[in-house]
Amino acid sequence: MTANLIANLRAQCGGPRDGALLRFSLGNALLAAGDAEGAADELRQAVTFDPAYSAAWKLLGKACLALDDQAGAAAAWQQGIQVAQARGDKQAEKEMTVFLRRLG
């Protein structure tokens, strides 16, 4: 099922529905399937489409951590915390703050 979901999401990339939500969904599916590198690429696309997408920053940090890229994870979460604070997204801010603390 995950392979079908990934294939369906990839088929939409570059089309009229391409955007932050599509790339976030694809990154989430790839991460769940164990493809952290592919997930990180798609999540970077998501935050390029929408730099204020705090959930994408949070998941990008997790993908970087799965790749053993602690600096990348920290950078993603720091950016995500700033975005969450600007949007008033307290829950995302708290979660990423905890993740960042665990790195240190």
Side-chain angles (χ1 to χ4, degrees), residues 1 4 6 8 20 24 32 43 51 57 61 63 65 72-74 79 85-86 93:
M1 167 130 172
N4 287 337
I6 291 169
N8 289 337
F24 174 81
L43 293 162
W57 286 109
L65 196 58
Q79 183 64 38
Q85 287 172 338
E93 178 186 350

Side-chain angles (χ1 to χ4, degrees), residues 36-86:
E37 187 172 340
D41 290 342
E42 295 303 331
L43 293 162
R44 285 186 187 99
Q45 286 293 319
V47 297
T48 298
F49 276 112
D50 183 0
Y53 197 170
S54 56
W57 286 109
K58 182 172 77 171
L59 201 57
L60 175 57
K62 288 183 178 186
C64 289
L65 196 58
L67 292 168
D68 202 29
D69 178 7
Q70 292 186 355
W77 290 330
Q78 287 167 345
Q79 183 64 38
I81 290 167
Q82 290 177 2
V83 165
Q85 287 172 338

Side-chain angles (χ1 to χ4, degrees), residues 1-13 22 26:
M1 167 130 172
T2 303
N4 287 337
L5 174 62
I6 291 169
N8 289 337
L9 292 170
R10 280 194 170 136
Q12 296 178 54
C13 292
L22 174 64
L26 180 53

Side-chain angles (χ1 to χ4, degrees), residues 54 58 84 88-99:
S54 56
K58 182 172 77 171
D89 188 351
K90 297 292 184 192
Q91 183 61 35
E93 178 186 350
K94 286 179 187 177
E95 289 175 13
M96 287 183 276
T97 300
V98 168
F99 297 154

